[in-house]
């Protein structure tokens, strides 16, 4: 049996640790509902104008998308708890409404450290050389940013 030189073992251990530490940044926690986030519950409209569409509605059961092409209710979203990085201490909370891959968009509540602000961004689509975002999701991204209705 041969043993590897010490520097190879240390290098391998260091690389493994780096990969392990980096993994949580991409991880998302699947939720059964949005009941644990009552401060986010409410109706969000483009720039806070509650007469405009489309809108995003958050309640204990999940996230609904209204006033645009029909989208399924996101009743089991993924909370991207480490999306902002391990040292992040701000108020923004990131969610992927649909757990399946590829994910059409990312919802960031309290975006830009502003309570009640919601941004909807393309995720896994529309990057250089990547697939185009399906048309049914585009209205929500085009209307971003949103603000919570009074």
């Amino acid at each position: 049996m041969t043993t590897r030189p010490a520097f190879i073992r240390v290098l391998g251990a260091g690389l493994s640790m780096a990969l392990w530490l980096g993994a949580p940044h991409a991880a998302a926690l699947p939720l059964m509902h949005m009941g644990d986030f009552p401060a986010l519950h409410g109706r969000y409209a483009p720039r806070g104008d509650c007469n405009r569409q489309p809108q995003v509605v958050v309640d204990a059961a999940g996230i609904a998308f209204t006033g645009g092409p029909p989208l399924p209710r996101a009743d089991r979203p993924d909370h991207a708890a480490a999306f902002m990085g391990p040292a992040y201490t701000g108020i923004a909370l990131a969610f992927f409404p649909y757990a399946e891959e590829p994910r059409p968009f990312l919802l960031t509540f309290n975006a830009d450290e502003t309570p009640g602000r919601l941004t909807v961004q393309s995720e896994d689509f529309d990057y250089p050389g990547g697939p185009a975002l399906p048309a049914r999701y585009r209205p929500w991204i085009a209307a971003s940013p949103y603000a919570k209705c009074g």
Side-chain angles (χ1 to χ4, degrees):
M1 178 175 170
T2 60
T3 59
R4 295 183 183 171
F7 78 93
I8 296 292
R9 288 193 307 266
V10 171
L11 180 64
L15 182 58
S16 293
M17 181 62 96
L19 290 172
W20 180 79
L21 288 174
H25 303 292
L29 305 170
L31 302 175
M32 298 301 288
H33 50 72
M34 289 293 288
D36 293 334
F37 300 93
L40 303 181
H41 295 180
R43 180 174 296 276
Y44 296 80
R47 291 167 183 67
D49 181 351
C50 299
N51 293 315
R52 291 184 56 205
Q53 298 290 333
Q55 296 184 1
V56 178
V57 181
V58 181
D59 58 28
I63 303 168
F65 301 92
T66 66
L71 293 181
R73 180 178 180 81
D75 58 356
R76 298 180 67 116
D78 281 353
H79 177 210
F83 193 80
M84 310 299 186
Y88 178 71
T89 59
I91 62 170
L93 297 166
F95 294 85
F96 295 107
Y98 305 115
E100 68 276 355
E101 297 288 339
R103 295 175 170 152
F105 42 61
L106 171 74
L107 305 178
T108 304
F109 293 90
N110 301 323
D112 304 321
E113 304 304 313
T114 304
R117 181 178 170 91
L118 167 65
T119 59
V120 179
Q121 299 169 293
S122 180
E123 187 68 22
D124 293 346
F125 293 94
D126 285 352
Y127 56 88
L133 181 70
R136 68 182 176 273
Y137 300 111
R138 290 191 180 281
W140 280 271
I141 292 169
S144 186
Y146 297 79
K148 203 176 213 183
C149 292

